[in-house]
Amino acid sequence: MSTDRDRMLATIRAGVSRSVTKDMPKPAPVIPRRGQLQGRALVELFRKQAETASATVAEVARAEDVPAAVAEYLRGRNLPPQIRLAPDPRVEALDWKSQPMLETSRGASDGTDTASVTPVLAGVAETGTLMVHSGAPTPNTLHFLPETHIAVVYADELVGTYEDAWTQLRAKQGGDLSSGAMPRTVSFVTGPSRSADIGKILLMGAHGPKRLHIILVDAKRPTH
Amino acid sequence: MLHPNSNAFTAESTKAIADPQLQEALGVLRTQSIPNRLKAANNLAEFEQLRDRARDLKDHILGHLDQYLLQFEEQVKSSGGQVHWCSDAESARQTILKLCREAGAKTVTKGKTMIGEEIGINDFLAENGIEPVETDLGEYIIQLRHETPSHIIGPALHVTKRQVEETFREHHTDLDAGRSLEEPAALMAEARAKMRHRYFEADVGITGANFLIAETGSTVIVTNEGNGDLTQMLPKMHIALTSIEKVVPTLDDAMTLLRILPRSATGQELSVYVTFSTGPRRQIDPDGPKAFHVVLLDNGRSAYLGGPMQEMLRCIRCGACMDHCPVYHAVGGHAYGWVYPGPIGAILTPALVGVENAKHLPNASSLCGRCESVCPVRIPIPKLLRHWREEEFTRAITPATQRTGLGVWAWFAQRPAMYRLAARWSMRILRWSAGARGRFKSLPLAEGWTRHRDFPAPQGKTFQDQWRARSRR
Amino acid sequence: MPSAVQAKPPGGQKRVALFVTCLVDLFRPSVGFAAVKLLEQAGFTVEVPEAQTCCGQPAYNSGDRADAQAIARNTIAAFEGYDYIVAPSGSCGGMLRCHYPELLAEDPQWAPRASALAARCYELTQFLVDIAQLDALDATFPSRVAYHDSCSSLREMNVKAQPRALLGKVKGVQISELAETEACCGFGGTFCVKFPDISNSMVERKTADIAASGADTVLAGDLGCLMNIAGKLKREGSNVKVRHVAEVLAGMTDDAAIGDAE
């Protein structure tokens, strides 16, 4: 038992005991009404917010359309037709062979990949944010190292608020996120990496992806 | 940055005002930072309500800090990490050095951490043969320039684009000297390329933490560049360096603070990356650090719980107070002489280094209150500045001339008849000396005023005298 | 045109105590008389308690709590028994209304008296609009004016619309807003002489905004800001006139403007 710990706790307890806020209850949260939407309005809000944050958004009708949409995006930007896929069925199981021009590989990134394609845990309409987490099927390096990050969001993954996104994660992890049930990292990603540290001029692509492209699929996530 | 230079504030601020490059750099606060925050605040209907909740949440946390820190510690342990309680800077430095040695570290990458500045970790690691590499672009720029951050969220705010170019040319000597760095994007691409391999080389990644989640044992970083995530993901050990007041009960509670932090800081709806890190790499994980440590610094904070300064511990380090402060606009961050500049620095610095070592800071304010009007957790900054002024007065840190002048004035102010008499004669003399000019170019004992301004002359007879004369008629 | 003044305030001739403020008392008594005229126009009986001196802000803001408390007690005693206390200053008004209760909070005898005083205390334009509901003025001022919000009026007293509404009733006045209405002018009481270079940097921005606004007159409700701004404008050789807003509202603009030769 460290003496620093004892000393700190003793001072903190003494302070807490005389604090005027020691009986203060925890306030109830305020959840902005903005995100409390359904259906098409939810999609529109997500799209608008993501685009405001400098992400690009494409919509496709079916999961089968995703590989073509990825190929089209890369071609349109004159980007190399190489993609690193998250080893997750929501992405990996798609028919990538339908796009013979696309060179695909799988798994975590060593920093040499130019583009990644990953699923998300949720898309949050409130601010056009993606919730992603680390794990075997979703290596965290894919979210941060490639210059282009392409995220596939299924209709039932789109939620209104951050609280809804946590609810999705809690449900996936068995209800409780304590005692190591949290994935090692959970990130809220809103647009591509940026910095204004040079003369306060806002520039995209500081250390993370220079481009964030979101493909919204108007269908439920495939079940496996 | 261990030794505060805050008592040189007056001289440093005069230098800062005379520095044209600094003044050019500071201009963006008024043209960008203020309007950006205002736009973001107006864009969210519940923004003011969220500020109230955020204030109440922080008050609740501070009133239950022991409980939440213990819960946080237990949760870090149960997810495979460790918490190191450090009561002062030296303890934190030694803990970090020991961990770095355990990891056999030669280089350490660093995400932005103000606590790192507070304990002077970079110089300390370097002295012990471990190279610290700043990865945040702003921090990288100032590390090359051997400077300290001048703003808590824009550390290189004081550096102009032209100066960045000069710095890169001076330090990146392996690159073609004829390359064009006209475009800001070229500068950023160069920094990105320079930094990439450093992430992979590093043995330890040190980041700060904006929040700690008691519910899950997670540390939270809020960034725009993605450097913080690479810093904590790629090396084999992640050390989160943070302080006790950053703990938050639950994930959902953190969202209350995350709805106001970026809007107040940069005017963004949300910063690009908000990452919750919990423990080391799991068995199934293909990437991530093998060890996860939280260094929890007190450094004098806990002594302010339950006292008149407790409200300063609500701070979530958004920087809005400095963005809106007319004094900060005039002098920038370095004049404040320690880690935290601006209004929050003027209350935090005396608390953490001793008011006698930062005696000017609480006084260098017109108490205009604009900081309080934008603080997302509604810290009553002017009230807390006055608290330090009272402390200085009580402990006779206030200069003797000021105390004497104040004493004489207060003596009169408590004796209305004497006050009226003194007022009558001093105004007559002033009016007589001004003649018909209406103002003074210079005035004895008023050099502070007349150095830059004329001093308007009084009209002559006091209101009180005229009013009594009128009433008698 | 007949004098367009209000007949009577609700509740008959209520008594207003004028807290004249030390700066107005010493430097610009004409502002005090303008305030009296406006309050009388609004149908109130105005009295000037003789025992008033200063609100105590210099002591309060310098950390001299004991003297600030002693001055506050004197002021409270001098101003009890009136229906309202009105000051031609947001700063001194803010001291009475926001800070006296805090200053005397621990004093069981004086805390309720401080709160009672605070509840009846107003800045002049705030009182004229919110309480007196003055809806017409007998004043003409053909001029393009910029109104400078003092920090204490704006943030302690929530005064922003009231002076502008009143100026809208003065014939000939055109209002040009300054670029940064929320920014401090750099006065700050003793701050401006303790940190003259910083204060100067602040007031330079203000005078630049004033020049850019195209206004020929700057008005404000606080004499401290006005003396600071006038002092800087005069040093810069500007022709812009500086006056307290009460002078214009009362139609009492015959005296030389602040810092101007007679």
Side-chain angles (χ1 to χ4, degrees):
Chain A
M1 191 80 19
S2 88
T3 55
D4 271 23
R5 184 177 184 275
D6 296 342
R7 209 175 317 147
M8 284 165 71
L9 278 170
T11 324
I12 292 168
R13 283 184 176 132
V16 162
S17 71
R18 47 171 199 266
S19 174
V20 292
T21 64
K22 69 171 187 288
D23 297 320
M24 182 137 178
K26 199 173 82 167
V30 172
I31 299 171
R33 278 168 312 223
R34 177 207 276 179
Q36 299 177 29
L37 299 170
Q38 303 289 324
R40 191 62 212 168
L42 188 68
V43 178
E44 290 298 333
L45 177 66
F46 177 84
R47 188 173 181 135
K48 177 181 145 239
Q49 293 293 83
E51 286 171 351
T52 304
S54 304
T56 50
V57 181
E59 292 183 57
V60 299
R62 306 165 308 159
E64 297 90 299
D65 303 330
V66 170
V70 168
E72 188 193 319
Y73 171 79
L74 294 174
R75 202 166 43 239
R77 309 267 153 157
N78 236 345
L79 295 169
Q82 292 144 356
I83 48 173
R84 187 88 175 165
L85 299 175
D88 183 292
R90 286 171 292 172
V91 163
E92 198 183 28
L94 300 171
D95 182 14
W96 296 100
K97 295 210 173 61
S98 68
Q99 300 298 316
M101 290 293 288
L102 279 182
E103 202 181 295
T104 60
S105 57
R106 282 160 178 75
S109 177
D110 62 0
T112 56
D113 309 292
T114 52
S116 62
V117 181
T118 76
V120 303
L121 189 90
V124 188
E126 161 170 14
T127 46
T129 299
L130 303 174
M131 185 198 241
V132 297
H133 67 82
S134 62
T138 50
N140 204 24
T141 39
L142 293 183
H143 306 131
F144 289 94
L145 282 171
E147 290 204 347
T148 304
H149 176 203
I150 301 172
V152 181
V153 182
Y154 291 91
D156 51 341
E157 290 165 342
L158 211 54
V159 299
T161 68
Y162 306 135
E163 286 76 4
D164 296 338
W166 287 120
T167 303
Q168 295 242 357
L169 182 64
R170 284 180 209 278
K172 183 168 181 283
Q173 304 294 97
D176 183 2
L177 292 173
S178 65
S179 308
M182 268 287 269
R184 188 185 64 77
T185 66
V186 177
S187 295
F188 287 90
V189 178
T190 312
S193 157
R194 70 199 63 190
S195 175
D197 277 344
I198 299 172
K200 205 79 179 164
I201 304 152
L202 186 65
L203 298 165
M204 296 298 140
H207 295 277
K210 290 181 178 171
R211 300 167 209 91
L212 174 64
H213 185 60
I214 301 168
I215 300 176
L216 289 175
V217 185
D218 192 14
K220 288 193 170 176
R221 77 195 101 176
T223 46
H224 290 270
Chain B
M1 167 75 100
L2 284 172
H3 305 291
N5 189 36
S6 303
N7 279 351
F9 176 81
T10 310
E12 292 299 320
S13 63
T14 300
K15 263 191 258 171
I17 290 167
D19 177 346
Q21 299 218 75
L22 175 64
Q23 295 298 318
E24 180 195 327
L26 290 169
V28 298
L29 296 169
R30 279 167 294 125
T31 57
Q32 292 183 35
S33 306
I34 292 177
N36 287 351
R37 176 207 166 268
L38 186 65
K39 193 174 158 210
N42 290 340
N43 210 14
L44 185 67
E46 296 86 354
F47 187 72
E48 293 305 315
Q49 215 186 335
L50 279 161
R51 287 176 68 190
D52 290 340
R53 295 301 164 100
R55 172 199 57 206
D56 295 348
L57 175 63
K58 288 296 289 194
D59 281 350
H60 165 80
I61 294 166
L62 294 171
H64 303 79
L65 194 59
D66 50 342
Q67 280 168 244
Y68 287 126
L69 286 173
L70 288 171
Q71 187 190 354
F72 172 74
E73 180 186 42
E74 182 201 311
Q75 287 297 319
V76 171
K77 278 190 202 159
S78 69
S79 54
Q82 263 184 277
V83 176
H84 306 267
W85 301 68
C86 297
S87 55
D88 58 19
E90 178 58 16
S91 165
R93 284 190 294 265
Q94 293 298 342
T95 302
I96 291 169
L97 180 62
K98 191 172 133 275
L99 292 171
C100 288
R101 287 195 168 139
E102 268 173 40
K106 288 190 186 62
T107 63
V108 167
T109 40
K110 283 190 63 221
K112 227 184 93 47
T113 150
M114 292 311 291
I115 304 293
E117 300 295 325
E118 200 177 314
I119 67 169
I121 192 63
N122 284 5
D123 288 349
F124 180 76
L125 288 176
E127 281 160 23
N128 286 280
I130 297 168
E131 187 196 0
V133 179
E134 293 288 355
T135 62
D136 173 89
L137 184 53
E139 293 282 355
Y140 175 67
I141 291 166
I142 61 170
Q143 189 181 29
L144 291 180
R145 295 169 61 86
H146 304 290
E147 292 175 335
T148 55
S150 65
H151 187 286
I152 61 170
I153 67 154
L157 178 78
H158 58 285
V159 187
T160 62
K161 191 230 125 200
R162 197 190 343 270
Q163 290 172 310
V164 176
E165 180 178 343
E166 286 163 15
T167 302
F168 280 14
R169 287 196 188 282
E170 185 190 331
H171 289 270
H172 300 164
T173 48
D174 53 324
L175 299 175
D176 175 15
R179 69 195 186 280
S180 169
L181 292 174
E182 250 326 287
E183 289 301 314
L187 290 167
M188 189 154 84
E190 185 165 312
R192 179 184 170 109
K194 276 270 158 202
M195 198 55 64
R196 242 332 143 92
H197 67 279
R198 311 293 322 244
Y199 290 116
F200 290 92
E201 284 169 7
D203 311 289
V204 174
I206 300 178
T207 67
N210 294 80
F211 307 110
L212 309 171
I213 312 294
E215 176 191 9
T216 55
S218 311
T219 63
V220 185
I221 58 169
V222 180
T223 70
N224 275 324
E225 297 185 2
N227 65 304
D229 288 274
L230 295 174
T231 299
Q232 62 188 23
M233 174 197 319
L234 297 172
K236 52 186 180 252
M237 179 187 283
H238 172 206
I239 302 174
L241 174 53
T242 187
S243 54
I244 54 170
E245 79 281 19
K246 300 213 167 70
V247 71
V248 172
T250 67
L251 294 166
D252 286 5
D253 292 325
M255 303 329 285
T256 295
L257 301 176
L258 282 163
R259 283 193 175 103
I260 53 169
L261 171 62
R263 288 181 169 96
S264 301
T266 57
Q268 286 168 283
E269 296 267 311
L270 191 61
S271 302
V272 177
Y273 303 110
V274 176
T275 294
F276 297 72
S277 302
T278 316
R281 175 196 291 214
R282 310 292 155 75
Q283 228 156 18
I284 55 153
D285 282 341
D287 47 24
K290 297 208 169 72
F292 176 75
H293 296 275
V294 179
V295 173
L296 192 61
L297 182 73
D298 183 338
N299 213 20
R301 287 167 173 77
S302 56
Y304 292 92
L305 279 170
M309 294 298 293
Q310 179 181 299
E311 288 154 315
M312 82 182 168
L313 298 174
R314 282 188 204 145
C315 178
I316 56 172
R317 305 286 189 268
C318 70
C321 61
M322 52 201 80
D323 290 347
H324 290 76
C325 175
V327 174
Y328 185 92
H329 291 172
V331 306
H334 287 152
Y336 289 80
W338 199 57
V339 177
Y340 304 98
I344 189 66
I347 55 174
L348 213 48
T349 309
L352 299 183
V353 307
V355 68
E356 67 282 4
N357 296 315
K359 60 186 180 187
H360 299 302
L361 303 191
N363 295 294
S365 164
S366 64
L367 300 177
C368 81
R370 202 172 180 186
C371 47
E372 181 177 357
S373 77
V374 296
C375 174
V377 287
R378 302 197 193 279
I379 299 173
I381 296 173
K383 182 182 106 179
L384 302 183
L385 289 170
R386 274 194 202 93
H387 169 85
W388 286 127
R389 293 181 185 191
E390 283 170 14
E391 177 100 3
E392 290 188 27
F393 191 87
T394 311
R395 291 172 52 191
I397 296 167
T398 311
T401 47
Q402 269 175 42
R403 297 170 65 85
T404 311
L406 207 56
V408 171
W409 167 85
W411 188 90
F412 280 103
Q414 287 166 60
R415 289 162 183 80
M418 297 302 290
Y419 177 90
R420 282 197 302 277
L421 192 70
R424 179 179 308 144
W425 286 102
S426 45
M427 289 309 116
R428 274 188 196 178
I429 293 164
L430 263 186
R431 171 66 186 80
W432 173 80
S433 346
R437 288 164 303 169
R439 60 182 183 268
F440 298 91
K441 292 269 175 219
S442 71
L443 201 62
L445 303 174
E447 194 275 338
W449 182 288
T450 56
R451 189 188 301 174
H452 300 291
R453 290 160 287 226
D454 288 356
F455 188 80
Q459 287 174 324
K461 285 186 181 156
T462 66
F463 177 83
Q464 290 266 33
D465 281 355
Q466 293 185 58
W467 178 262
R468 303 297 151 216
R470 196 177 92 160
S471 311
R472 275 194 296 275
R473 271 202 303 272
Chain C
M1 183 165 167
S3 176
V5 293
Q6 269 216 327
K8 261 187 180 178
Q13 289 274 330
K14 291 203 169 179
R15 290 162 71 227
V16 169
L18 181 69
F19 185 70
V20 71
T21 79
C22 53
L23 286 180
V24 166
D25 179 41
L26 302 178
F27 286 91
R28 206 157 172 85
S30 59
V31 173
F33 288 105
V36 170
K37 182 176 170 186
L38 287 163
L39 291 166
E40 286 177 350
Q41 272 181 13
F44 291 85
T45 303
V46 182
E47 295 180 35
V48 182
E50 195 170 3
Q52 62 179 298
T53 59
C54 166
C55 65
Q57 238 183 124
Y60 184 56
N61 289 341
S62 299
D64 181 359
R65 202 172 171 89
D67 276 327
Q69 285 167 334
I71 294 168
R73 288 189 192 101
N74 283 356
T75 307
I76 292 168
F79 281 85
E80 279 173 330
Y82 296 94
D83 295 305
Y84 302 103
I85 297 95
V86 174
S89 159
S91 175
C92 312
M95 182 68 189
L96 269 59
R97 193 159 91 178
C98 306
H99 300 298
Y100 277 11
E102 183 276 324
L103 198 51
L104 298 168
E106 318 270 286
D107 184 332
Q109 193 198 335
W110 285 89
R113 295 171 73 177
S115 301
L117 181 89
R120 288 178 284 117
C121 177
Y122 297 89
E123 183 271 347
L124 177 67
T125 63
Q126 178 181 45
F127 181 79
L128 293 174
V129 172
D130 298 349
I131 303 300
Q133 296 173 358
L134 191 65
D135 58 11
L137 286 168
D138 186 17
T140 305
F141 192 64
S143 190
R144 202 161 152 194
V145 308
Y147 187 82
H148 164 71
D149 294 284
S150 81
C151 299
S152 36
S153 285
L154 191 64
R155 285 182 274 266
E156 288 185 347
M157 302 294 271
N158 294 315
V159 172
K160 182 161 179 140
Q162 297 94 327
R164 290 170 175 79
L166 291 170
L167 284 168
K169 300 178 201 300
V170 176
K171 286 180 275 301
V173 163
Q174 262 188 296
I175 299 183
S176 298
E177 289 293 348
L178 298 178
E180 283 194 80
T181 56
E182 307 250 319
C184 175
C185 72
F187 174 62
T190 54
F191 165 79
C192 72
V193 289
K194 284 185 195 161
F195 298 93
D197 295 344
I198 299 174
S199 171
N200 179 54
S201 175
M202 289 158 71
V203 73
E204 270 180 348
R205 291 212 169 102
K206 193 55 76 182
T207 54
D209 280 357
I210 290 167
S213 76
D216 54 57
T217 305
V218 186
L219 303 176
D222 275 87
L223 196 51
C225 310
L226 289 166
M227 288 176 68
N228 180 44
I229 292 169
K232 189 65 198 177
L233 286 168
K234 296 303 136 188
R235 182 62 61 91
E236 288 171 341
S238 165
N239 290 322
V240 174
K241 305 283 179 218
V242 180
R243 291 185 180 278
H244 192 285
V245 67
E247 300 170 37
V248 171
L249 299 178
M252 291 167 62
T253 50
D254 291 341
D255 290 306
I258 300 168
D260 274 352
E262 285 160 21

